[in-house]
Amino acid sequence: GAEGLTHAEGLDLSTLGRISEGFAAGSIERCVKRTLTVRRIARLEKRPIAASEFINGLALEASKREVPLKTEQDTFNAFTEMISGLGDRRKLIEDLNNPDAADQGKKGGGKKK
């Protein structure tokens, strides 16, 4: 199997790392298993592996995602702000840095009867 593979010369791991950013470990594992078949491993000496061979597998994994990564990240960030109070702290810092803007927001916010 692939256990014997320790280093593939010429394989651009930096690019693979960048294009797979945001993918779950399981998605990357499926992509690697799909790409490094028994036959492909046997042919590694004749034809070294290239980063481009993993792109189809990553594209397939990306197509399986129900929610786009950006939306998922935005949801996570909003949740984190809510439970940590980070949004409130950011607003407080913003108000402290811009006292004029904070005063204008308070002028129209009086109690209504």
Side-chain angles (χ1 to χ4, degrees), residues 33-101:
K33 285 181 177 180
R34 192 177 297 114
T35 303
L36 292 176
T37 62
V38 173
R39 182 172 188 269
R40 183 63 184 99
I41 292 170
R43 296 182 46 116
L44 283 175
E45 285 189 28
K46 293 179 183 174
R47 197 181 95 196
I49 194 85
S52 60
E53 295 180 58
F54 293 95
I55 293 188
N56 284 340
L58 285 172
L60 182 61
E61 288 298 323
S63 72
K64 291 179 180 180
R65 296 181 63 89
E66 292 179 15
V67 179
L69 180 62
K70 176 76 173 134
T71 304
E72 204 170 277
Q73 186 65 41
D74 290 345
T75 302
F76 176 75
N77 289 343
F79 173 74
T80 301
E81 281 189 20
M82 180 186 70
I83 65 167
S84 68
L86 186 59
D88 295 335
R89 283 185 271 165
R90 283 187 181 149
K91 175 85 171 96
L92 181 61
I93 291 170
E94 197 174 293
D95 290 347
L96 291 173
N97 287 334
N98 300 318
D100 295 335

Side-chain angles (χ1 to χ4, degrees), residues 6-52:
T6 56
H7 178 71
E9 287 187 36
L11 181 60
D12 186 359
L13 294 177
S14 176
T15 298
L16 276 175
R18 278 190 298 251
I19 65 173
S20 64
E21 185 176 339
F23 282 84
S27 295
I28 294 172
E29 179 185 22
R30 286 188 296 275
C31 172
V32 169
K33 285 181 177 180
R34 192 177 297 114
T35 303
L36 292 176
T37 62
V38 173
R39 182 172 188 269
R40 183 63 184 99
I41 292 170
R43 296 182 46 116
L44 283 175
E45 285 189 28
K46 293 179 183 174
R47 197 181 95 196
I49 194 85
S52 60

